[in-house]
Amino acid sequence: MTALAGVVSGPFFYWMFIRADFGRRVGVISLAMALLALDATASMIRRVPSIDRLTYWPPALAFGFTAAFLGVRTVAAFTGHYGANFLAPVPIEIPLTLCADVAYVWCAFGMLLASNTQMRDAAEKMAFFDPLTNLPNRRMLADRLLEAELRAIETGWQVGVIYLDLDGFKLINDTLGHAAGDEILRNVSAAMTPMLGQGDCLARVDGDVFVVVVEDLQGR
């Protein structure tokens, strides 16, 4: 952003103070805005999970449309279709203004939709995941346990529940502080996660207490 502003400001001030040319100033600004719109389009299209594409791709199309009409304005400005000053009549500006109004409203609505989606995802994560370890919390564990029980009834297989806590964890908090205890919890959860089987659920339910739900077991 800073580099783009530096590149644009040179020609802009040149055609403002040294060689006054309103059309070329419009062209420089339009080109910069078109590049920003293209960057916004690319950022909303690449590496977007399939579940979020209906949220992020419409704003990306809006930014792409914005970049297109700004590109047309850039070409028009550098080919002499603009007058000598701001008040000079410019016929091409009428359709471009209509396109701009449509694009900006479309972009604003799309960004609002994307923002609401992000806030909803963040709220869901706070409700179902432990903020310290990013493991499922007690609420999600209850849901997963119920789902596992229903599948076990349908398939005839068993469900295992492993309950464990950390020995001497209170001593760590009392002697080294809660920051050290939090680091221990993060390291322990990171160490246990790769040991899970497919479909298993590791949850932190309280303090140093962890619960693992293991499905599809034939016996103890």
Side-chain angles (χ1 to χ4, degrees), residues 168-193:
F169 182 74
K170 185 177 183 302
L171 181 61
I172 294 176
N173 277 337
D174 293 342
T175 57
L176 301 179
H178 289 282
D182 291 345
E183 186 65 21
I184 289 292
L185 292 174
R186 283 191 289 265
N187 290 336
V188 168
S189 63
M192 289 193 293
T193 299

Side-chain angles (χ1 to χ4, degrees), residues 14-74:
Y14 173 79
W15 281 311
M16 174 177 283
F17 298 110
I18 299 176
R19 184 180 177 183
D21 191 323
F22 175 74
R24 292 184 182 274
R25 292 202 303 271
V26 172
V28 170
I29 296 299
S30 298
L31 178 60
M33 295 177 65
L35 293 176
L36 292 176
L38 284 175
D39 181 69
T41 301
S43 66
M44 287 194 164
I45 289 180
R46 62 173 179 258
R47 295 192 298 272
V48 175
S50 57
I51 191 173
D52 293 329
R53 288 175 181 173
L54 289 178
T55 299
Y56 289 97
W57 282 12
L61 293 176
F63 279 111
F65 178 71
T66 304
F69 88 76
L70 286 171
V72 173
R73 175 179 284 175
T74 301

Side-chain angles (χ1 to χ4, degrees), residues 18-173:
I18 299 176
R19 184 180 177 183
D21 191 323
F22 175 74
R24 292 184 182 274
R25 292 202 303 271
V26 172
V28 170
I29 296 299
S30 298
L31 178 60
M33 295 177 65
L35 293 176
L36 292 176
L38 284 175
D39 181 69
T41 301
S43 66
M44 287 194 164
I45 289 180
R46 62 173 179 258
R47 295 192 298 272
V48 175
S50 57
I51 191 173
D52 293 329
R53 288 175 181 173
L54 289 178
T55 299
Y56 289 97
W57 282 12
L61 293 176
F63 279 111
F65 178 71
T66 304
F69 88 76
L70 286 171
V72 173
R73 175 179 284 175
T74 301
V75 174
F78 281 109
T79 54
H81 288 79
Y82 275 77
N85 55 63
F86 181 74
L87 299 177
V90 184
I92 196 174
E93 188 66 16
I94 296 176
L96 288 181
T97 301
L98 295 176
C99 291
D101 292 339
V102 173
Y104 290 146
V105 171
W106 190 0
C107 290
F109 178 77
M111 292 298 292
L112 180 62
L113 181 62
S115 177
N116 287 340
T117 301
Q118 290 179 344
M119 289 189 294
R120 183 195 64 205
D121 293 343
E124 290 179 352
K125 185 173 182 180
M126 291 179 60
F128 291 102
F129 288 87
D130 173 50
L132 179 63
T133 61
N134 287 325
L135 294 177
N137 59 15
R138 183 188 299 269
R139 181 177 178 183
M140 176 171 278
L141 175 67
D143 293 341
R144 290 294 302 272
L145 190 57
L146 178 60
E147 294 173 359
E149 182 182 4
L150 294 176
R151 279 193 292 269
I153 294 174
E154 294 176 356
T155 61
W157 289 59
Q158 297 183 13
V159 177
V161 178
I162 305 172
Y163 179 96
L164 57 98
D165 60 5
L166 305 183
D167 293 339
F169 182 74
K170 185 177 183 302
L171 181 61
I172 294 176
N173 277 337

